[in-house]
Amino acid sequence: MDQDDIEMEIDGEDSLDIHVVTPGEVVTRDSAFMRGHGTYTEDETLVASLAGVVDRVNKLISIKPLRTRYNGEIGDVVVGRITEVAQKRWKVDMNARQDGVLLLSSVNLPGGVQRRKNESDELQMRTFFAEGDMLSAEVQAFFQDGAASLHTRSIKYGKLRNGSLVTVPSALIKRTKSHFVTLPCGVDVILGLNGYIWVAKHVPISPEQANQPDALYHNDNEPIADQEREIIARVSNTILALAKHNNFINDTMIVYAYEAGSSHRVKDILKPDISQEIVQTARAQFQEAQQH
Amino acid sequence: MAARLEIVSPEGLRVDGRRPAEVRRVLTRTGVLSQADGSAYIEQGNTKCLAAVYGPREPVKRAGVLHDRATINVEYNVSSFSSGERRAKLRRDRKLLEIGLMIKQTFETVVATTSFPRSEIDIYLQILQTDGGAVHTAINAATLALIDAGIPMTDYVCACSAGFVNDQAILDLNFLEESADVPTLTVALLPKSGKISMLGLESRLHIDKLEPVIALASDGCMQMKDTLDEAIRISTRNLAKTVLH
């Protein structure tokens, strides 16, 4: 099967209600509509400033681009990397238009969940998060200039270990109920809405471990067996294969694609013809499941 | 004058077989690079350009931060293997820097920079093969790459060149025509409003002839707009099929 066959298969369904616009195109002349993201008004008409799909919610019209940097929303789960340790804050690279800010006051520190941060905490900030550390966090608020303020005030969030990072375009990640998933193959996946995905060994946290002062911020990986490494690599490559074919990514899609690629060797998953076949099989399975 | 190359033959054909007001074949691709936020490849005749857009992103250098809008950086480069004669690139070629600056100013008028304060948008333009009209090909490639990166712009920027020879204006000059002392005018235009955002002329042209040359170049820009728009529509539609469902 080649590219044309995929195209044929997808054509016909849903293609009618996709309204594609390009920059400078008039979306509507009706002044009853409000302008949302990706639009501007000129002479009472609503004009698109992006190439994408028109998204209408009641009277609000916005354009959804299909390839763009991450635009955060409050409550989003993101995966990021510390780029800088500054005064009472960390700067976090999260594939957005500016680095995110993680304030010292928005992290849980060892020894008591809620306590005031004092000067000694400020001095040892680098022992919690140093440059290059990966973390998962939630978008808490936005500053005036559009930079995101993050927080890790939950047991779910915090430093990431025991795994590898996969980066995909942020538009591919679908918003779902949970972005923390444990796959049937025994691998934990954190689907950051910013397009950073953390694939890691599943490590159950026992309550007494969580209370240990060192538990949150230590830098040591658990022992990972060769077999576990292979599964992590397989899941990573499966996600990359989905991204290569611009397919949306959620937990079910990863599971389907993982199953579809299970007969191939890990390194073969990213070969053009094999990845195509895997994505196609997974898509077909997903659509079938949707109809039931 | 007999030794001089005939730009337009008595039959009204140019050296590469085109009519005076005909543009070259255009081939476009978007999303060609996986690492960049947006990318495009464009061929206009034998002139080939690759564009990569990164951003809006955290500024690499602190000095470039503007508090109310994004800064745009343009790096325009011509590969040493791109022309007939291979030549080593000078480290900081003034001519390339100037073209880069010109392209930057062109895009500052259309990109909605005020929606991204304290950020930076980097545009890298690489000419892979030159056969005349490298600057306007680069501008068209940058437009495609910016749209591909999902950066808001009020309009397309379309560019084309036109020259004047044998008492008539000719469109989209190739290398032979450019190097035969034909005054060449490069125009970048915003097709929606018809405003001209860049005008470049490197040799002398009689003022009376300026108007027909601009008119022809503008017409070429409008043709470019249709080509680019078509390309963006197809790629967006194809993406929508797999990204959304």
Side-chain angles (χ1 to χ4, degrees), chain A residues 247-261:
Chain A
N247 203 88
F248 67 87
I249 291 164
N250 61 10
D251 46 350
T252 15
M253 204 66 200
I254 296 174
V255 172
Y256 289 153
Y258 182 87
E259 284 164 7

Side-chain angles (χ1 to χ4, degrees), chain B residues 212-233:
Chain B
V213 175
I214 292 183
L216 187 65
S218 305
D219 183 56
C221 294
M222 290 304 192
Q223 287 183 44
M224 272 316 294
K225 148 88 195 212
D226 293 341
T227 316
L228 299 186
D229 196 52
E230 176 81 29
I232 290 292
R233 251 167 230 286

Side-chain angles (χ1 to χ4, degrees), chain A residues 84, chain B residues 57-66 71 73 75 92 118-122 124:
Chain A
E84 199 181 316
Chain B
R57 64 178 177 184
E58 183 81 14
V60 181
K61 274 181 268 169
R62 273 290 134 82
V65 179
L66 292 177
T71 44
N73 299 316
E75 212 175 290
R92 286 182 76 81
R118 290 170 201 269
S119 312
E120 167 179 274
I121 297 168
D122 295 318
Y124 295 95

Side-chain angles (χ1 to χ4, degrees), chain A residues 10-11 20 22-25 40 42 49-51 66-69 97-99 145 171-172 174 246 248 283, chain B residues 37 56-58 116-119 147-150 152-154 156 192 229 233 236 239 241-245:
Chain A
I10 300 161
D11 241 358
V20 171
T22 53
E25 185 177 336
Y40 66 97
E42 195 180 74
S49 64
L50 294 169
L66 298 165
R67 258 175 82 106
T68 182
R69 285 216 142 213
R97 55 190 201 234
Q98 280 175 74
D99 280 356
D145 61 1
L172 297 181
K174 285 228 164 179
N246 291 313
F248 67 87
R283 277 191 71 91
Chain B
D37 291 304
R57 64 178 177 184
E58 183 81 14
F116 310 110
R118 290 170 201 269
S119 312
I147 294 171
D148 187 49
M153 305 206 301
T154 51
Y156 281 80
K192 191 158 160 284
D229 196 52
R233 251 167 230 286
T236 310
L239 269 181
K241 283 178 197 161
T242 48
V243 174
L244 301 178
H245 304 284

Side-chain angles (χ1 to χ4, degrees), chain A residues 230-272:
Chain A
E230 195 186 315
I231 298 176
I232 292 173
R234 188 177 279 278
V235 172
S236 302
N237 277 1
T238 307
I239 294 169
L240 285 175
L242 286 169
K244 203 161 105 178
H245 293 273
N246 291 313
N247 203 88
F248 67 87
I249 291 164
N250 61 10
D251 46 350
T252 15
M253 204 66 200
I254 296 174
V255 172
Y256 289 153
Y258 182 87
E259 284 164 7
S262 55
S263 58
H264 297 283
R265 282 182 301 170
V266 175
K267 63 174 181 183
D268 290 343
I269 291 175
L270 287 176
K271 284 187 179 160

